[in-house]
């Protein structure tokens, strides 16, 4: 019988995995059988998540990785490949920050910061991973974009531009890597994490957000993590260049 979601024998590298969605995705990939390199700009946060996975019976290692640092990305990719006996099957480019301000107040500094982390970070980590990725159809790059990149968000021109940039990145790379049988997709999540704390708790923002979510609730990070397992799995072997919103119906 064909098993679609078993990731036993696959290795994964997840960025920004010390908290929120990245931590939940690391745990979900490990629960599906993958060996996971949990990375974050905070090495301590990454190591705590890896320890949780190992205590629960999964297999994980950790590394401090600031995705804007190309050399650190190269080292992390090699470390992740060592977990998979030389192969790195799954790369999840999840690390992210926001730096909101209305357009007239946006600075070069915050514009560059969002690009450095989201776009350049995804560039560094994916390019570092590529030499380790198998070409037998198990290779996956999963980029984390946002509704902001699909529909725009008030006060987030910098973040929206970076997240929309990742969609173009995903589609172009999907075309290039199709010849290597590596699937490249993006996922646009919505979840209750440290990043969304203000828009969930500030009265003014919270009601407006709830109006935009047809399912009328926030997901916990582990609820959106299953869609990452899907894109990483054999169930998604004929899907590439797509953007999958996992957001309670906010973007449709
Ligand atoms: N939470 C949502 O509803 C939502 C919605 C749309 C998109 N996203 C995207 O999902 C991803 C994860 O978001 P989250 O909500 O879990 O955020 P979060 O703030 O809870 O976690 C982000 C993690 O990234 C790490 N990080 C920050 N800068 C980094 C860097 N330079 N290098 C490596 N790690 C770094 C942080 O230390 C943190 O652990 C982000 O790309 C975010 O833009 C989230």
């Amino acid at each position: 019988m064909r098993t679609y979601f078993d990731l036993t024998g696959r290795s994964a590298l997840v960025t920004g995995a010390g908290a929120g969605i990245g931590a939940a995705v690391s745990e979900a990939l490990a629960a599906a059988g993958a060996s996971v390199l949990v990375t974050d700009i905070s090495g301590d946060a990454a190591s705590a998540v890896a320890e949780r996975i190992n205590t629960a019976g999964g297999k994980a290692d950790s590394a401090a990785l600031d995705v804007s640092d190309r050399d650190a990305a190269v080292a992390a990719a090699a470390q992740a490949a060592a977990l998979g006996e030389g192969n790195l099957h799954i790369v999840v480019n999840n690390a992210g920050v926001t730096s909101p301000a209305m357009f007239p107040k946006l600075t070069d500094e915050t514009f560059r910061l969002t690009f450095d982390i989201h776009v350049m970070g995804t560039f560094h980590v994916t390019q570092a991973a590529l030499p380790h990725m198998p070409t037998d159809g198990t290779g996956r790059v999963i980029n984390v974009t946002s509704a902001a990149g699909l529909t725009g968000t008030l006060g987030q021109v910098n973040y929206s531009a970076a997240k929309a940039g990742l969609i173009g990145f995903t589609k172009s790379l999907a075309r290039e890597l199709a010849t290597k049988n590596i699937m490249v997709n993006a996922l646009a999540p919505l979840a209750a994490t440290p990043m969304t704390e203000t828009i969930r708790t500030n009265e003014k923002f919270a009601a407006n957000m709830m109006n935009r979510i047809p399912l009328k609730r926030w997901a916990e990070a582990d609820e959106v993590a299953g869609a990452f397992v899907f894109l990483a799995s054999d169930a998604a072997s004929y899907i590439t260049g797509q953007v999958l919103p996992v957001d309670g119906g906010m973007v449709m």
Side-chain angles (χ1 to χ4, degrees):
M1 224 160 20
R2 187 166 179 176
T3 55
Y4 284 99
F5 300 105
D6 184 4
L7 299 179
T8 305
R10 316 261 170 99
S11 67
L13 187 166
V14 185
T15 68
I21 292 168
V25 168
S26 299
E27 293 186 274
L29 292 172
S35 304
V36 183
L37 184 70
V38 181
T39 73
D40 198 277
I41 194 168
S42 160
D44 287 347
S47 140
V49 173
E51 200 176 310
R52 219 157 61 214
I53 291 171
N54 288 322
T55 304
K59 192 173 166 209
D61 198 355
S62 69
L65 169 60
D66 176 347
V67 294
S68 62
D69 178 346
R70 174 178 282 280
D71 293 341
V74 169
Q79 188 180 343
L83 282 178
E85 291 169 3
N87 280 320
L88 170 51
H89 302 82
I90 303 154
V91 179
V92 181
N93 288 303
N94 166 79
V97 293
T98 54
S99 188
M102 292 309 278
F103 186 67
K105 295 202 165 150
L106 275 177
T107 61
D108 281 16
E109 197 186 15
T110 63
F111 223 102
R112 282 207 187 91
L113 174 80
T114 46
F115 267 75
D116 271 352
I117 295 175
H118 294 278
V119 182
M120 295 305 290
T122 297
F123 173 46
H124 293 149
V125 174
T126 309
Q127 211 173 45
L130 201 52
H132 305 286
M133 293 188 76
T135 54
D136 62 355
T138 56
R140 299 285 189 280
V141 176
I142 305 172
N143 296 327
V144 181
T145 183
S146 167
L150 286 159
T151 66
T153 312
L154 276 179
Q156 293 207 311
V157 167
N158 53 354
Y159 178 77
S160 298
K163 288 303 204 188
L166 281 181
I167 294 172
F169 180 121
T170 299
K171 293 183 179 193
S172 292
L173 191 63
R175 291 185 190 280
E176 282 194 31
L177 296 189
T179 55
K180 294 190 185 301
N181 215 3
I182 295 170
M183 273 45 81
V184 185
N185 291 291
L187 198 146
L190 187 71
T193 66
M195 181 181 278
T196 53
E197 193 178 345
T198 308
I199 52 169
R200 284 181 290 111
T201 54
N202 175 299
E203 226 175 85
K204 190 175 106 196
F205 298 132
N208 177 41
M209 276 303 291
M210 210 39 78
N211 280 336
R212 294 173 56 203
I213 308 172
L215 288 182
K216 296 291 169 219
R217 63 182 178 82
W218 285 86
E220 293 301 324
D222 63 350
E223 192 177 359
V224 302
F228 286 82
V229 174
F230 163 64
L231 286 178
S233 74
D234 291 347
S237 59
Y238 199 50
I239 300 175
T240 199
Q242 303 304 310
V243 182
L244 177 62
V246 182
D247 62 0
M250 191 165 72
V251 176
M252 61 169 83

